[in-house]
Amino acid sequence: MGYKGWVGHRERIVSRPVIIERQFPSSAFPYFPFSPPCSTFIPILGRPVIILAVMPLYQPADLNTPVLSQFSLKGKIALVTGGSGGIGRQVVSGLAEAGADVAFIYRTATDAHETAAKIAERTGVRVQAYQSDVTKRETIAHTIEQIATEFGHGRLDIVIANAGVCQNVPSLEYEEDTWNYMNSVNYDGVMWTAIAAGRIFKKQGRGNLIITASVSATLVNVPQTQAAYNSSKAGALQLGKIGRAHV
């Protein structure tokens, strides 16, 4: 695998940056991954540069492999929090349709197991529901470990931190319980899910974490009164950026 890099020379980046698009071998980026923009030294160029962006370039072993097969998730083990309804249910369906075996976590849904059975019957893969609570660190960690061990037979490839709640509350009328509830699900829940998944990924040497954020993470919805929802989703978005840089 190589990387396509967009770079600007350090001595010219301040005044008028020159962007050079070149494809480099992976050896050119000995400390990858890093988060552009940043300064580094690329041996192949023989000079310090500012890295503006880096994009991994995937190349299949067989260049004649049909393109759609490269998107297959057959044999992968996926987990979705908040997967019993809404966006989560559609994510579970999409993963199953792509060939992954999918476990999803629900908290109060009464039809979660029925939902799992219907998706499994339609897609021909394993789909199983687990009850848990993303707001409780030890509880969700135990459930994710259980899923990796029992459902994934010791493996977990994809985790989607999707569980979320939203309420319209005028900003001057928030109570502690309402504020804490939305933040504990939308923000804390992402962190506790990410930590549990990250530990498994670290042990495996690989894994993929996806966080369901919202357009509300970066803009203010009008006339909706969603201060807790918007700010918690903004926090979740930032957690994703921080996690990539620090893990």
Side-chain angles (χ1 to χ4, degrees), residues 25-150:
S26 56
S27 59
F29 297 95
Y31 303 109
F32 188 82
F34 45 77
S35 297
C38 63
S39 175
T40 190
F41 180 84
I42 297 183
I44 199 170
L45 292 181
R47 69 179 71 184
V49 297
I50 303 295
I51 303 298
L52 301 180
V54 173
M55 180 179 69
L57 298 179
Y58 170 75
Q59 180 173 304
D62 182 0
L63 294 178
N64 295 316
T65 301
V67 65
L68 290 180
S69 68
Q70 297 179 43
F71 290 89
S72 172
L73 296 178
K74 185 176 181 180
K76 301 295 185 181
I77 304 297
L79 183 158
V80 182
T81 66
S84 61
I87 293 174
R89 180 170 178 168
Q90 298 307 314
V91 171
V92 171
S93 293
L95 291 168
E97 290 169 6
D101 291 326
V102 188
F104 69 83
I105 291 172
Y106 71 98
R107 189 171 70 91
T108 59
T110 58
D111 62 345
H113 294 280
E114 181 182 356
T115 296
K118 287 181 178 179
I119 296 175
E121 182 179 6
R122 178 171 61 82
T123 59
V125 299
R126 294 185 301 134
V127 181
Q128 190 168 332
Y130 291 79
Q131 187 173 27
S132 193
D133 188 344
V134 298
T135 70
K136 302 183 184 303
R137 177 175 176 170
E138 291 186 2
T139 300
I140 192 63
H142 174 77
T143 304
I144 291 176
E145 185 65 41
Q146 178 187 4
I147 290 171
T149 301
E150 299 178 0

Side-chain angles (χ1 to χ4, degrees), residues 14 19 30 38 44 83 105 129 144 158 162 186 188 213 221 235 241 247:
V14 176
I19 309 302
C38 63
I44 199 170
I105 291 172
I144 291 176
I158 305 164
N162 170 79
N186 298 347
D188 297 346
N221 297 322
K241 297 177 182 179
V247 175

Side-chain angles (χ1 to χ4, degrees), residues 139-227:
T139 300
I140 192 63
H142 174 77
T143 304
I144 291 176
E145 185 65 41
Q146 178 187 4
I147 290 171
T149 301
E150 299 178 0
F151 185 81
H153 305 298
R155 183 164 53 88
L156 192 57
D157 301 300
I158 305 164
V159 173
I160 301 182
N162 170 79
V165 292
C166 180
Q167 296 176 354
N168 289 328
V169 181
S171 295
L172 299 182
E173 298 178 14
Y174 270 103
E175 301 288 343
E176 287 184 3
D177 289 346
T178 306
W179 179 266
N180 290 339
Y181 171 60
M182 278 186 274
N183 278 279
S184 65
V185 175
N186 298 347
Y187 182 62
D188 297 346
V190 168
M191 187 62 172
W192 305 151
T193 299
I195 289 174
R199 287 174 174 165
I200 294 173
F201 293 163
K202 185 176 182 179
K203 189 185 305 182
Q204 295 176 162
R206 68 187 188 284
N208 299 274
L209 173 69
I210 300 170
I211 298 172
T212 302
S214 170
V215 65
S216 300
T218 58
L219 55 80
V220 177
N221 297 322
V222 177
Q224 294 91 335
T225 52
Q226 299 176 346

